[in-house]
Amino acid sequence: MVTAFLFFFVSLLIFCTTESLLVNITILQSAVAKGAVCLDGTPPAYHLDRGSGTGLKNWVISLEGGGWCQNVTHCLQRKNTHLGSSAKMGKQSAFSAMMSNDPKYNPEFYNWNRVSVRYCDGGSFTGDVEAVDPGTGLHYRGARIYKAIMEELLAQGMNTAQNAILSGCSAGGLATILHCDNFRALLPKSAKVKCFSDAGYFVDLKDITGKAYIEQYFNDVVTLHGSAKNLPPSCTSKLKPSLCFFPQNVAQQIQTPLFIINAAYDHWQVRNILVAPGADPKGTWTSCKADIKNCTSSQLKVLQVFRDKFLKTLEGLGPSSTRGYYINSCFSHCQTQQQVYWFGPNSPRLFNKTIAEAVQDWFLDRHLFRQIDCPYPCDKTCVDEATYIISSEDI
């Protein structure tokens, strides 16, 4: 059994590596003078693979994810990792799935300029605190990082873009929603500009004990990072800033076309919003959180209620002539970053469309894809996420 697993894992690693393009890191030293730095004060970074042929004037920007830090202790923990310091980042990043340069794996965007913006601020690129605590040396400058890298990319040719997409997964997917309209404002009026958020639609729901854990958590993030002035004013003019960290309170006002990719049973949200830290002291949910197939019938009922509430927040956005969504019933998180989810013979399908095909149809205005999967366990196209998680930092 162990030998078989090791063989499979090695085979998978070889598969993931051979289908990925390794792209060198660019450390943006000039950003330091603008105060645009990571948590530890090092310069921000990105990876760029240049487009070619028909894609020379097309750009897809991917904002890296990786959670948040909501207090000094957690930010100090991140400070010495690649999520808080460019000095700790790998020299190369593996581009696959929506970042692949191979049309077999990425039929629409393979020859575009593809950029991965590294995440090292812990606040979804929204923070801007001038003061630096001399005791911790922590810098909360995510909004400055975003601005500095966008200015760099505009100078690299994005200022003449014909087509452009801002995207991201998880905390990067949330950042995509929060920055969508200001990204549109940076580019030529003649350009087609759209945003798609992968696993970034975090919902404001109470946990299994009835506690508003995630609401308090996001309030702490916004307060610590000084994010309020960088959140959409269309929301902050009506609600307290921390509530404007929730897409359900922001997405309705976004003018730029937005596509939302999310699992209705997003496992990060199940593990951190529904069954929040401290909400399950006896570990009753441990096995269920690890794999939805392990959930008891009573736990599945709770998950179905969570799904219903998630969908209600989505429906609450109201009608839109440009907003699309792809909501499947896989127990997953971040589906545009892994080839097996994005586009392939065994990829998940919703109304017989892979995620790549749905995004492609929406971007090209062929079809305003708006589909929601049936409840678990009816979708038989989902893949076992635990089998496929290999981060680019590990390759």
Side-chain angles (χ1 to χ4, degrees):
M1 180 70 178
V2 174
T3 302
F5 174 79
L6 287 175
F7 175 78
F8 178 79
F9 180 83
V10 171
S11 299
L12 179 64
L13 182 60
I14 292 171
F15 173 75
C16 290
T17 304
T18 53
E19 73 173 18
S20 299
L21 171 71
L22 296 178
V23 180
N24 291 333
I25 196 168
T26 297
I27 305 293
L28 191 58
Q29 297 286 352
S30 61
V32 176
K34 303 173 183 178
V37 293
C38 299
L39 283 169
D40 71 339
T42 53
Y46 66 92
H47 303 258
L48 164 63
D49 187 49
R50 289 285 185 180
S52 61
T54 56
L56 276 173
K57 289 186 176 292
N58 299 336
W59 293 74
V60 58
I61 313 298
S62 176
L63 303 177
E64 186 181 23
W68 310 270
C69 57
Q70 87 283 19
N71 58 43
V72 171
T73 300
H74 287 162
C75 289
L76 283 172
Q77 291 172 352
R78 290 172 74 99
K79 180 181 173 182
N80 295 313
T81 73
H82 70 276
L83 290 172
S85 172
S86 59
K88 303 294 183 180
M89 295 175 184
K91 301 303 180 189
Q92 295 180 314
S93 180
F95 276 25
S96 63
M98 60 162 279
M99 303 296 278
S100 174
N101 66 338
D102 190 329
K104 290 185 298 183
Y105 302 125
N106 188 25
E108 183 58 35
F109 311 123
Y110 73 96
N111 66 344
W112 287 31
N113 296 285
R114 286 155 289 107
V115 185
S116 174
V117 180
R118 300 304 298 266
Y119 181 41
C120 64
D121 65 272
S124 279
F125 298 94
T126 63
D128 191 354
V129 177
E130 182 65 34
V132 179
D133 184 340
T136 64
L138 288 168
H139 299 69
Y140 305 108
R141 305 283 182 75
R144 295 193 197 187
I145 289 173
Y146 172 84
K147 185 173 185 288
I149 290 185
M150 290 302 145
E151 288 174 349
E152 167 75 2
L153 296 177
L154 288 167
Q156 292 272 358
M158 195 171 72
N159 62 328
T160 61
Q162 294 175 346
N163 296 285
I165 291 174
L166 181 67
S167 67
C169 99
S170 195
L174 173 58
T176 296
I177 293 173
L178 298 176
H179 285 291
C180 185
D181 278 345
N182 64 44
F183 178 72
R184 160 70 273 186
L186 295 173
L187 295 158
K189 290 183 179 180
S190 59
K192 176 185 284 191
V193 181
K194 299 189 178 186
C195 306
F196 68 82
S197 169
D198 176 14
Y201 195 86
F202 299 96
V203 289
D204 185 8
L205 298 177
K206 290 181 171 59
D207 67 20
I208 55 173
T209 69
K211 182 180 177 183
Y213 174 87
I214 193 64
E215 190 172 304
Q216 183 59 52
Y217 184 94
F218 276 180
N219 182 72
D220 292 344
V221 171
V222 168
T223 301
L224 180 67
H225 290 260
S227 301
K229 58 184 173 290
N230 296 308
L231 298 175
S234 59
C235 178
T236 55
S237 63
K238 302 172 186 175
L239 300 173
K240 69 176 185 177
S242 60
L243 293 178
C244 298
F245 222 58
F246 289 101
Q248 68 199 71
N249 297 325
V250 173
Q252 186 177 30
Q253 286 80 41
I254 293 174
Q255 300 300 307
T256 308
L258 172 67
F259 195 81
I260 297 168
I261 302 162
N262 235 96
Y265 308 90
D266 181 290
H267 67 56
W268 190 94
Q269 297 199 50
V270 169
R271 296 164 184 171
N272 295 277
I273 295 180
L274 179 62
V275 190
D280 181 34
K282 294 183 179 180
T284 306
W285 282 79
T286 301
S287 182
C288 177
K289 288 193 300 179
D291 191 332
I292 196 171
K293 294 191 292 293
N294 298 332
C295 298
T296 65
S297 58
S298 61
Q299 288 170 333
L300 284 175
K301 287 180 181 178
V302 174
L303 288 177
Q304 300 299 8
V305 171
F306 175 82
R307 172 185 179 270
D308 291 343
K309 290 180 177 178
F310 174 91
L311 295 178
K312 188 175 181 180
T313 69
L314 193 67
E315 292 161 4
L317 298 179
S320 167
S321 61
T322 60
R323 190 187 315 121
Y325 45 81
Y326 188 109
I327 312 296
N328 61 19
S329 291
C330 302
F331 194 60
S332 60
H333 183 67
C334 286
Q335 300 182 81
T336 62
Q337 309 294 304
Q338 300 174 58
Q339 192 64 53
V340 71
Y341 275 101
W342 175 246
F343 185 74
N346 298 314
S347 297
R349 280 172 165 73
L350 190 51
F351 286 78
N352 206 34
K353 292 277 187 180
T354 63
I355 294 172
E357 290 168 333
V359 169
Q360 179 176 301
D361 283 351
W362 166 77
F363 185 82
L364 297 174
D365 300 315
R366 290 197 293 238
H367 175 57
L368 185 59
F369 195 93
R370 292 176 177 152
Q371 300 295 346
I372 296 172
D373 209 350
C374 49
Y376 176 87
C378 73
D379 189 341
K380 305 304 180 185
T381 69
C382 295
V383 296
D384 185 353
E385 170 128 333
T387 302
Y388 289 95
I389 294 178
I390 299 176
S391 83
S392 62
E393 288 288 323
D394 298 324
I395 294 177

